[in-house]
Amino acid sequence: MPYVIGANCIDVTDRACLDVCPVDAIYVGERKSYINVNECIDCGACEPECPVDAIFVDRKARDDAFVADSIAFFSETLPGRAAPLGDPGGAATVGEVGVDTPLVAGFTGP
Ligand code: F3S
Ligand code: F3S
């Protein structure tokens, strides 16, 4: 997994990262956005765009809970949905998802 969005995005969701992603691999939940591991091509363009430094490379923080949580957002069935998102092939195909993983939905601070 290459780039990951961490806790700093929660309740900020600035969306500047969305504008620079060449493959539309960043999906907006409710409180946070999530990068699709299978669709991200590891270009690095999003990382410097985030005003709250929420984006990081996974190999520098493998134990960060948001690495696994970013996978779960796509592989697990989110609240109110009938099936996992999977790999839609671009965020524009699904629009803003509007829900979060249980970790993010219940997040109250580090
Ligand atoms: Fe991935 Fe970010 Fe580029 S999500 S494809 S590293 S803009
Ligand atoms: Fe979140 Fe930063 Fe993107 S706040 S939506 S990761 S620009």
Side-chain angles (χ1 to χ4, degrees):
M1 185 158 184
Y3 284 82
V4 178
I5 297 176
N8 286 0
C9 179
I10 296 174
D11 295 335
V12 178
T13 50
D14 180 87
R15 294 174 174 76
C17 56
L18 304 176
D19 295 336
V20 299
C21 182
V23 292
D24 200 22
I26 307 174
Y27 294 71
V28 179
E30 183 181 16
R31 300 179 65 192
K32 179 183 177 292
S33 295
Y34 306 77
I35 294 173
N36 184 298
V37 55
N38 296 320
E39 297 174 356
C40 172
I41 59 171
D42 207 7
C43 76
C46 56
E47 185 183 16
E49 295 299 317
C50 179
V52 292
D53 294 330
I55 305 176
F56 59 90
V57 183
D58 74 330
R59 59 183 174 272
K60 293 182 179 173
R62 287 199 185 281
D63 58 347
D64 190 295
F66 289 93
V67 174
D69 190 65
S70 295
I71 295 172
F73 182 78
F74 298 94
S75 65
E76 306 291 325
T77 300
L78 296 167
R81 298 187 70 97
L85 275 177
D87 304 324
T93 65
V94 295
E96 299 203 358
V97 179
V99 293
D100 292 302
T101 60
L103 174 74
V104 171
F107 192 78
T108 55

